[in-house]
Amino acid sequence: MFYSSRALSRIYQSPGFLKSIYEVLLPRRDYINTTAIRDFSSSSSVSVKMAATGDSPAPVSNLPPSMREYLIHFAQVHETFRKPELESLAKLFNIDYEILQYSEKAPFARIALPSNEAAKTLISRSILSKAIYELWGTGTTYDDLHTSIKSRTSHLWHLYKTCSFKFGFESFNGMRTESHKKQLIESFSYVGFDGPIRMKNPDELFVIMEDYEATSMVDLERLAALNIDEKVEAPARNPTHLDEPHQIYFTRLIGKSSRAIIETYDLKKRNYIGTTSMDAELSLVTANMALVSPGKLAYDPFVGTGSFAVACAHFGAVTFGSDIDGRMIRGTKQGKSLRSNFEQYKIMDRYGDMFVSDLTNSPLGRFGSTEEGGKRRSEQIFDAIVCDPPYGVREGLKVLGSRDPSRPKVPTIIDGVAQHTLKDFVPPKRPYSFDKMLNDIMNFASTHLVPNGRLCIWLPTADEDFNEFSIPAHRNLKLESACVQNFNKWSRRLLTYTRYEVDQDEPVTDGGVLPDATEENLDSAKAKLARTADALNPFRRKYFEGFKTPPSED
Amino acid sequence: MKLLTANFLSCAVKACKSSPLSFPLHFRDAELASKSVPYNPLLLSNLLPRLDWPALVTSSKELGFTLPDTKPELPRLSASSSSATTADGDMNMDGTVGEENEKTLRMLHKTVGNFLLPSHLV
């Protein structure tokens, strides 16, 4: 039952179905000064334990000591990215957390965190959530909700007696009339807030949240009991959208997310973009997954028009980028260049540098002096590598080199002039296979990331003929998450890896020379080159070590 | 092209990567333009351990200004130091490399360095 509803609900859960916040004035009259009586009869509540500080609501769930309970209001978009983004931010800010309840079918999730400060910090950089709230109570009906609120928060009510405030309403996959909302808000009058009601910038925002989406029910038996028939032909409305909410929450706003900056970086308003520029929302999410933060160094080896570079710089990293096509970086029109985007967003102080280079022959890395006075090659430079490499599905991938592997390795000389010394020389390029490119990216990330640095890479999940691509693996890179973005006919995913602190299962090499793809001899290079002609055939896929079978969607 | 970038780059020719002469690349006929950036202590503390100071000193001399011979202590570093300096405008950079003695001239065009290689060096 639960699983059969998935395909249908996916369609109905497009962003447009999410109702925007409704703000309703709470009438000041009709206040009853209820004496708080803690009601322990509330069925769902476990033993109600007061938090040690006494300034937070008693938790709904069994929480570890010193943890408090919060509700995160997510955006109902890019569902598979939401949890990994949150986990990345918790890691970035070093915040302990425990997800208590989460469903991809609904925007409301419950989470345990150590403090309001931690909650505020965690959500401050989130792109896929809207805000975080202190959870005052929850119930399957309004009666349950009120019981829950009274039993958990009556000791807090006096704190909000005189401040200005506002009540908000969030309904997911359902709606109410204004008069009904007003009526419902009035039913909360027992909390006895006497302060002024402010529509703009109230001291405190309280929000009633309702979930009408049946498939987000945590209790599967309850869902089964509803006996929803999704196979009705041409239903008047989505059968999984209930008439009454199945879960209601009452919350107090703690902190807002960074979701508003999506508009700031909107591609439509960006000075310079290309046909494959990544949209602002997912670029920023990618930067979050890469744990980019002030003072760090980020690099995009397929920088193009700089979507990721801008997103990484927004979050404070000094960003470097390169592309095999310098025209993308420089731009073709006056005033339209990658650099101009940094100027537009006033983040030039985080413009590391951009250069023209090919991943297989990258200049990054050096043979520098060591503290002891010796010389050694070092390549660990970046805290984050983010990229959306060309997929090569429609247009062929290209890499430096001659098409003809048997061609002698000598400079081309015409009329006594070595052609590559000319100013307008364009180096020849040869076809490149997708698998080989992945292999090179993984090797590059392994050698160029600092310990615990992150690699974020966007890859298609299947080509036009629905041949699944596997998830690339590397012994020095730990896969953290795989998030899927579905399109009409295809999909792509964002893979996030962490560089292990030390190289795995490999003898430490002498003199610090790191083994990489550049060490191969000419013969093996030629042999590989010959095979790249049929880039995506099964033989090639097997050839590269560590490629696994793709995981199922769950 | 920035001075800072030059500290991370060596010759892109594979055969040169094992040679100490592939780093640092040398600026030739370069025109220096500098621009101040806000003091960023977080960046400096992250960046300093990753810099090759002697190479930075070499590069700075090629561009006509001097840096102290020893890596400065973190707290004392001011905004005017190396990482705050950018080299702007058209300039040429010349990578002199290992025993192969292959001299590859790297052009900088509109501040964007070009490290693509002709096919005989790939």
Side-chain angles (χ1 to χ4, degrees):
Chain A
M1 181 76 214
F2 181 74
Y3 290 101
S4 69
S5 65
R6 288 180 56 202
L8 194 68
S9 62
R10 189 172 297 152
I11 299 163
Y12 280 100
Q13 294 205 0
S14 55
F17 278 79
L18 182 69
K19 301 293 174 290
S20 62
I21 190 159
Y22 258 97
E23 282 121 14
V24 179
L25 269 172
L26 177 72
R28 292 188 64 187
R29 58 193 160 78
D30 296 338
Y31 269 160
I32 310 154
N33 242 338
T34 322
T35 319
I37 300 161
R38 193 160 298 144
D39 186 351
F40 288 92
S41 65
S42 159
S43 56
S44 64
S45 74
V46 292
S47 57
V48 178
K49 274 179 273 176
M50 293 284 300
T53 49
D55 63 347
S56 72
V60 175
S61 322
N62 265 320
L63 295 183
S66 81
M67 292 291 253
R68 299 170 173 208
E69 189 164 2
Y70 297 89
L71 185 135
I72 293 178
H73 186 200
F74 282 105
Q76 197 60 23
V77 290
H78 303 306
E79 292 86 349
T80 60
F81 294 68
R82 302 190 308 192
K83 243 165 124 178
E85 189 201 36
L86 199 69
E87 284 158 4
S88 296
L89 294 176
K91 171 140 198 173
L92 175 66
F93 293 119
N94 198 16
I95 293 172
D96 277 341
Y97 71 99
E98 193 183 320
I99 293 174
L100 306 167
Q101 177 204 310
Y102 179 83
S103 166
E104 289 196 350
K105 305 293 180 195
F108 310 119
R110 281 161 44 198
I111 183 169
L113 291 165
S115 67
N116 287 358
E117 215 40 57
K120 231 179 231 175
T121 308
L122 176 68
I123 222 68
S124 63
R125 259 189 59 171
S126 172
I127 296 298
L128 295 176
S129 75
K130 295 178 170 180
I132 195 161
Y133 299 84
E134 189 176 67
L135 184 61
W136 277 40
T138 181
T140 55
T141 64
Y142 272 90
D143 285 344
D144 274 1
L145 177 66
H146 290 311
T147 312
S148 170
I149 293 167
K150 285 170 188 166
S151 71
R152 297 200 169 83
T153 63
S154 56
H155 63 292
L156 301 176
W157 297 349
H158 72 277
L159 296 172
Y160 308 99
K161 197 167 175 62
T162 54
C163 64
S164 68
F165 67 100
K166 181 170 103 176
F167 267 53
F169 223 98
E170 293 271 1
S171 297
F172 178 62
N173 284 354
M175 62 194 300
R176 295 200 182 267
T177 62
E178 292 300 320
S179 62
H180 200 178
K181 279 183 198 167
K182 199 171 155 187
Q183 204 184 328
L184 285 168
I185 287 171
E186 280 175 36
S187 71
F188 287 83
S189 56
Y190 54 83
V191 294
F193 300 162
D194 292 341
I197 295 154
R198 286 228 179 94
M199 296 313 286
K200 272 189 183 168
N201 304 319
D203 292 333
E204 300 291 341
L205 173 66
F206 293 88
V207 182
I208 302 158
M209 300 180 184
E210 299 180 314
D211 187 356
Y212 292 77
E213 173 54 48
T215 55
S216 72
M217 278 186 197
V218 185
D219 185 349
L220 295 183
E221 278 178 31
R222 196 174 149 214
L223 178 64
L226 288 173
N227 221 358
I228 296 168
D229 185 4
E230 289 182 40
K231 305 233 166 70
V232 191
E233 284 202 23
R237 53 193 290 282
N238 186 342
T240 69
H241 294 185
L242 307 175
D243 291 330
E244 285 297 317
H246 64 81
Q247 197 73 41
I248 312 157
Y249 308 90
F250 185 61
T251 62
R252 182 174 74 90
L253 179 70
I254 297 294
K256 285 186 176 168
S257 75
S258 277
R259 194 160 173 77
I261 60 165
I262 294 172
E263 203 175 316
T264 312
Y265 289 95
D266 191 345
L267 290 182
K268 287 186 196 127
K269 292 182 261 173
R270 190 171 300 176
N271 184 45
Y272 174 60
I273 58 168
T275 50
T276 55
S277 296
M278 179 71 71
D279 68 70
E281 181 174 21
L282 290 171
S283 299
L284 291 160
V285 169
T286 307
N288 270 343
M289 305 278 240
L291 307 183
V292 160
S293 67
K296 287 187 180 174
L297 303 184
Y299 174 59
D300 181 353
F302 302 93
V303 74
T305 58
S307 295
F308 291 134
V310 160
C312 291
H314 169 79
F315 287 127
V318 170
T319 309
F320 294 79
S322 65
D323 203 290
I324 194 167
D325 186 354
R327 291 170 302 181
M328 295 281 274
I329 299 171
R330 289 188 297 265
T332 44
K333 279 189 217 139
Q334 189 69 30
K336 300 266 178 195
S337 66
L338 202 167
R339 193 188 177 96
S340 74
N341 289 342
F342 275 71
E343 282 159 357
Q344 179 187 355
Y345 297 125
K346 303 192 168 48
I347 46 177
M348 267 313 281
D349 60 314
R350 282 154 271 167
Y351 181 90
D353 208 356
M354 303 294 155
F355 53 90
V356 186
S357 132
D358 171 23
L359 191 74
T360 54
N361 292 279
S362 174
L364 283 162
R366 63 192 173 194
F367 212 98
S369 46
T370 62
E371 300 288 332
E372 298 81 39
K375 291 259 182 183
R376 54 168 284 174
R377 186 163 176 84
S378 66
E379 289 174 324
Q380 296 191 342
I381 299 170
F382 299 112
D383 299 279
I385 294 176
V386 289
C387 61
D388 180 23
Y391 303 154
V393 174
R394 283 163 203 278
E395 81 287 6
L397 299 171
K398 289 276 167 35
V399 74
L400 288 178
S402 168
R403 282 176 174 273
D404 179 6
S406 63
R407 201 186 140 90
K409 297 267 181 181
V410 291
T412 309
I413 294 169
I414 297 170
D415 296 336
V417 180
Q419 293 298 294
H420 68 275
T421 60
L422 297 175
K423 197 168 183 178
D424 56 355
F425 174 74
V426 178
K429 300 182 183 74
R430 62 175 170 81
Y432 189 33
S433 90
F434 187 75
D435 285 352
K436 177 85 173 80
M437 177 184 73
L438 285 189
N439 200 41
D440 287 341
I441 295 171
M442 299 302 274
N443 276 329
F444 181 86
S446 163
T447 51
H448 288 77
L449 279 175
V450 300
N452 296 316
R454 280 207 170 176
L455 165 68
C456 284
I457 176 170
W458 281 87
L459 294 175
T461 44
D463 62 18
E464 282 171 329
D465 303 321
F466 298 103
N467 295 314
E468 273 267 329
F469 290 124
S470 47
I471 290 181
H474 190 285
R475 64 190 159 80
N476 291 335
L477 300 170
K478 178 180 164 233
L479 183 67
E480 294 284 352
S481 63
C483 311
V484 185
Q485 181 191 20
N486 285 308
F487 292 103
N488 211 0
K489 290 223 171 127
W490 62 296
S491 63
R492 61 180 175 184
R493 60 190 157 203
L494 170 61
L495 304 174
T496 303
Y497 301 84
T498 302
R499 171 69 164 91
Y500 285 112
E501 285 210 32
V502 288
D503 285 6
Q504 305 292 299
D505 304 317
E506 195 77 7
V508 179
T509 48
D510 196 25
V513 181
L514 293 163
D516 62 16
T518 64
E519 303 297 315
E520 64 197 17
N521 62 37
L522 203 62
D523 283 345
S524 82
K526 265 187 196 167
K528 276 190 181 175
L529 194 62
R531 274 184 230 132
T532 53
D534 192 5
L536 298 171
N537 78 25
F539 172 75
R540 280 206 55 79
R541 209 166 303 161
K542 271 191 204 162
Y543 177 83
F544 293 104
E545 54 161 300
F547 278 53
K548 301 184 292 194
T549 50
S552 66
E553 234 192 281
D554 299 279
Chain B
M1 187 78 204
K2 291 189 179 181
L3 191 57
L4 183 60
T5 319
N7 207 260
F8 291 141
L9 303 178
S10 59
C11 176
V13 178
K14 280 172 184 167
C16 301
K17 287 203 171 165
S18 54
S19 161
L21 294 177
S22 67
F23 176 85
L25 300 174
H26 301 291
F27 287 98
R28 297 267 167 85
D29 307 325
E31 198 181 301
L32 179 75
S34 70
K35 205 173 160 187
S36 298
V37 295
Y39 176 58
N40 186 341
L42 268 175
L43 174 66
L44 290 175
S45 66
N46 234 353
L47 198 58
L48 264 186
R50 291 178 212 177
L51 286 179
D52 187 292
W53 196 260
L56 200 65
V57 173
T58 307
S59 300
S60 71
K61 276 177 190 150
E62 286 163 6
L63 291 170
F65 67 100
T66 42
L67 287 172
D69 282 343
T70 50
K71 206 184 258 198
E73 293 298 314
L74 247 187
R76 299 243 200 91
L77 216 62
S78 77
S80 63
S81 84
S82 61
S83 61
T85 313
T86 59
D88 226 321
D90 279 278
M91 57 189 197
N92 293 325
M93 197 166 76
D94 182 0
T96 325
V97 293
E99 298 117 0
E100 291 80 14
N101 270 326
E102 205 99 50
K103 272 195 177 179
T104 47
L105 196 68
R106 301 276 144 242
M107 302 303 232
L108 287 156
H109 180 42
K110 289 187 185 169
T111 81
V112 178
N114 185 342
F115 295 90
L116 297 181
L117 299 173
S119 53
H120 69 278
L121 292 173
V122 172

